[in-house]
Amino acid sequence: MTDTAWIDAALTSARPQAVGALLRYFRNLDTAEEAYQNACLRALKSWPQNGPPRDPAAWLIMVGRNVAIDDIRRSKKQEALPDDEAISDLDDAEEQLAERLDGSHYRDDILRLLFICCHPDLPATQQIALALRIVSGLTVKQIARAFLVSEAAMEQRITRAKARVADADVPFETPGAVERSERLTSVAAMIYLIFNEGYSASGDTAEIRSPLCEEAIRLARLLLRLFQSEPEIMGLTALLLIQHARAPARFDADGAVILLDDQDRSLWNKSLIAEGLALIDKAMRHRRSGPYQVQAAIAALHARAEKPEDTDWTQIDLLYGALEIMQPSPVVTLNRAVAVSKVRGPQAGLDMIEPLAQRLSNYFHFFGVRGAFLMQLGRNDEARTAFDRAIALANTSAEAAHIRMHLDRLQRDSQPRGKKAGK
Amino acid sequence: MLYAILCYHDEDTVGSWTKEQDAAVMQKLTVVQDKLTKQGRLGPVARLLPTTAATTLRKEDPPLVLDGPFAETKEQLLGFYVVDCKNLDEALDVARDLGKANPGGAYEIRPVGHFTPGGVKP
């Protein structure tokens, strides 16, 4: 690897920690970001000559902070007399900061930085864009490309989100246990959103958008390193790893979706699956189940099946049953019905989804699944009606873009007609 | 004498490599390994999954199971090689070759006391 490539990787990996610490210090996102950028510029000059520092993040925090304080001093000098008091304060602050560099502050710094991006006033797309810009340090151009919008539109979106966050009152004190746990939940949800943004890509855009999946995994691993004993963060990371492991098999050469049953399982990334399974094992020991762990366990059962017919549908049915209790939703029930139909036949599946008809009347997958059950029961006319409805919804609904792995299987059953419709 | 070459690196940095960068490093390491294999000097080689996948058993009574790696350090143990070398100088030469292919971090070179090749197949 060349020097510059190494420096890039070091800057990327140090970014959340450095920006998080600078934010704690300056309590202003723009100042923190600018300080970090200035530190990076100096790193690009200094590191190739002097060699990389042993702790790049600490280096960037120190340098970024000093440059920003120099700037503040200079602008103050232009405005008024030098502020001796401020200068003498700085020495103390420096010592204090150095002391904190090794402390557990980092953990809360990074969590706070991520949490700021999850402000409840921000729509999901803005949360994600902001996190990718501020925490991951992707350029506006890179983010715009991944979101398939123009650079100007993305610039505007991020500026707006930043303005809104700037007004938000995020406490800078070290959070208490309850607050920390709430922040962790919001941040986990946002990382999942980032992943889905990449995962829900269609075949022709999958390559452009897959960096979103990789970034989400990087953030999930980061979060897990900070909170090593949180089973739900293990579950989240495992879920993302196992889903992403299938990426090389999910689309054919023309960019058409290949459904789970038809995927070449030898293309699945075994190392990512192994890591995911290891994390599930670890999470289970805590005996504190949660939605991410259950979803990861379902993904793991698919990943463990060498052939589609080896899939343990009984266990998947039970897991969806657990998920229904934790997160009741007609979509979860719909997924469960597929597992039920594999174990007890299509009539049992159909009985399970009938009560959902009203709530899912605009949901593509509902009609796809319903059509498949009806077809298996030989009720072909009714099946055709359901498929027609599914196709209409799939072609018009943006929701179809958010299909997840465990729904691929449902799609397969409606695929013969889906293909004719030019999907 | 067998030497274990233990690979330490900042995991965050390694995790920030792009797929292409990672593949390029692995490719360069393969070249070094192939040379050693031809000389019949290369034993087991392992690249470990991230420390987030690690669990530690503290041998207290009763033993205590903890999430995460044994030590919280700036650089983490990410893998190891076992190489047959005449002496420390030769082992250092191997480590230097590996280091050229994969800069950053550190190698700890440890003579092996007892070695069982084992028969496990990946």
Side-chain angles (χ1 to χ4, degrees), chain B residues 24-41:
Chain B
V25 169
M26 293 309 275
Q27 179 55 39
K28 283 189 197 162
L29 288 173
T30 309
V31 176
V32 182
Q33 290 171 32
D34 284 351
K35 201 172 88 186
L36 295 167
T37 305
K38 277 195 198 119
Q39 298 165 349
R41 295 167 60 201

Side-chain angles (χ1 to χ4, degrees), chain B:
Chain B
M1 173 136 210
L2 292 180
Y3 285 84
I5 299 179
L6 310 176
C7 317
Y8 287 86
H9 208 311
D10 179 355
E11 189 170 43
D12 277 345
T13 302
V14 173
S16 298
W17 289 351
T18 62
K19 255 187 294 187
E20 292 73 24
Q21 286 172 330
D22 195 289
V25 169
M26 293 309 275
Q27 179 55 39
K28 283 189 197 162
L29 288 173
T30 309
V31 176
V32 182
Q33 290 171 32
D34 284 351
K35 201 172 88 186
L36 295 167
T37 305
K38 277 195 198 119
Q39 298 165 349
R41 295 167 60 201
L42 189 66
V45 176
R47 180 175 181 176
L48 306 175
L49 286 175
T51 54
T52 43
T55 306
T56 301
L57 182 85
R58 301 229 50 131
K59 294 185 276 180
E60 285 151 28
D61 191 20
L64 187 62
V65 180
L66 298 169
D67 291 304
F70 161 63
E72 292 292 337
T73 46
K74 192 74 203 101
E75 279 120 353
Q76 292 80 26
L77 176 65
L78 301 186
F80 62 83
Y81 301 84
V82 176
V83 189
D84 190 8
C85 303
K86 275 198 208 77
N87 50 37
L88 178 60
D89 278 347
E90 238 185 63
L92 283 167
D93 284 341
V94 173
R96 279 190 200 99
D97 279 350
L98 290 167
K100 272 182 222 150
N102 182 8
Y107 290 116
E108 178 178 327
I109 293 137
R110 285 272 283 277
V112 174
H114 171 79
F115 179 71
T116 308
V120 69
K121 295 238 165 59

